[in-house]
Amino acid sequence: RRATADDAAALHALILDLNRDQGDPTDQLTAEHVARDLIAAPATIVVVAEAPDGVLIGYATAHPTYETGTAEHGLYVGDLYVVPAHRRQGTARALLATLARAGHARGARHLWLTAKQDNTAAHAFYRRLGSRGEAVMAFAVVEQDFRNLAAEAP
């Protein structure tokens, strides 16, 4: 299902779990950021999975992208996470299917999925979905380097 503002605190906890797992920072994102910048952002799609007792056990985020090589809109999946105790039960696939349906309704025709080089479980899962992997090295211009670039004269 789509995330709501009521999910912000629990979703924040899952995001921190993913960030810890991936070696990413855990001290910058707050539940308020989650509510404002993810759940309430019109272009972003955030979906969650619940256990039968209503506890969140997974989530996925996506935002629009455009692939010029195939001339089509798609969704870039930013995060996909399922708590370890609920993995390999179809939850991640259900989350991606929910994103795909929401994206398709907006005109998207593909999901762009990424995983760190050593995340072979994710690679295998994405291949089982029918995706084709390609070697890509990602770069991010962040913090002061980003501000410096943005401040350059036109």
Side-chain angles (χ1 to χ4, degrees):
R1 69 170 174 82
R2 294 291 290 264
T4 68
D6 292 338
D7 296 317
L11 182 54
H12 177 249
L14 290 179
I15 293 169
L16 294 183
D17 287 345
L18 172 63
N19 287 353
R20 266 189 293 282
D21 182 63
Q22 296 294 303
D24 292 332
T26 58
D27 61 343
Q28 298 178 28
L29 187 74
T30 66
E32 292 75 24
H33 288 118
V34 172
R36 180 191 67 224
D37 300 341
L38 291 173
I39 296 170
T44 304
I45 301 171
V46 182
V47 297
V48 295
E50 296 176 302
D53 62 2
V55 172
L56 295 189
I57 59 168
Y59 78 99
T61 66
H63 60 269
T65 187
Y66 189 83
E67 179 59 47
T68 58
T70 55
E72 64 184 15
H73 292 274
L75 291 178
Y76 174 83
V77 178
D79 286 0
L80 174 62
Y81 180 74
V82 176
V83 298
H86 292 275
R87 291 182 184 164
R88 302 184 92 47
Q89 299 174 32
T91 303
R93 186 181 187 99
L95 288 165
L96 289 179
T98 303
L99 284 180
R101 281 190 298 277
H104 193 266
R106 294 182 180 189
R109 297 300 175 257
H110 67 269
L111 294 178
W112 181 258
L113 303 157
T114 61
K116 291 190 176 180
Q117 187 173 353
D118 62 349
N119 192 345
T120 56
H123 303 170
F125 170 60
Y126 296 161
R127 285 186 182 95
R128 286 193 304 275
L129 294 172
S131 66
R132 294 168 298 282
E134 61 181 68
V136 174
M137 184 171 290
F139 295 87
V141 179
V142 299
E143 298 175 356
Q144 189 60 48
D145 294 318
F146 177 83
R147 291 187 290 277
N148 292 345
L149 185 61
E152 288 184 11

